[in-house]
């Protein structure tokens, strides 16, 4: 996914990519939340579990590409002397 994220950042721009994949995070968390609210009264009802898996998959897709966007922003913001330290801080806090 980082390869696709890097391609999208270069192709459509960092700000549009951030908005697009932040919406993926929001949609994925909403689907997960709906799966949690449905609950299960019937042991044979797999819909809440399926919604939880689908929601987390969408969430993971957005989150992985946003990590690429974070690294891109940091590399544009900081200069050569501060770049390694700032990337280390960002990666240690985002994981």
């Amino acid at each position: 996914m980082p390869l696709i994220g890097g391609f999208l950042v270069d192709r459509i721009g960092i700000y549009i990519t951030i908005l697009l994949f932040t919406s993926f995070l929001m949609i994925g968390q909403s689907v997960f939340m709906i799966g949690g609210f449905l609950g299960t009264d019937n042991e044979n009802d797999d819909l809440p579990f399926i919604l939880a898996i689908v929601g987390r998959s969408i969430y993971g897709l957005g989150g992985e590409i946003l990590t690429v966007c974070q690294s891109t922003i940091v590399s544009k913001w900081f200069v050569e002397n501060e770049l390694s330290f700032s990337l280390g801080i960002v990666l240690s806090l985002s994981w």
Side-chain angles (χ1 to χ4, degrees):
M1 292 314 307
L3 183 64
I4 295 170
F7 177 75
L8 288 174
V9 166
D10 289 340
R11 183 63 72 183
I12 62 175
I14 190 164
Y15 300 111
I16 295 173
T17 307
I18 287 174
L19 288 174
L20 178 68
F21 287 101
T22 300
S23 65
F24 273 35
L25 288 175
M26 214 167 55
I27 291 168
Q29 190 62 27
S30 299
V31 171
F32 183 79
M33 178 191 64
I34 290 169
F37 276 140
L38 287 180
T40 178
D41 294 332
N42 186 0
E43 292 180 8
N44 296 326
D45 188 17
D46 291 336
L47 183 63
F49 180 71
I50 291 171
L51 282 176
I53 295 296
V54 168
R56 284 299 177 185
S57 298
I58 295 170
Y59 185 88
L61 177 71
E64 189 69 31
I65 294 177
L66 278 179
T67 304
V68 174
C69 293
Q70 286 176 348
S71 298
T72 305
I73 289 172
V74 167
S75 66
K76 288 185 178 188
W77 185 270
F78 291 98
V79 294
E80 294 175 4
N81 298 347
E82 302 167 340
L83 184 59
S84 60
F85 180 71
S86 60
L87 278 173
I89 295 292
V90 165
L91 289 176
S92 66
L93 293 176
S94 67
W95 287 92

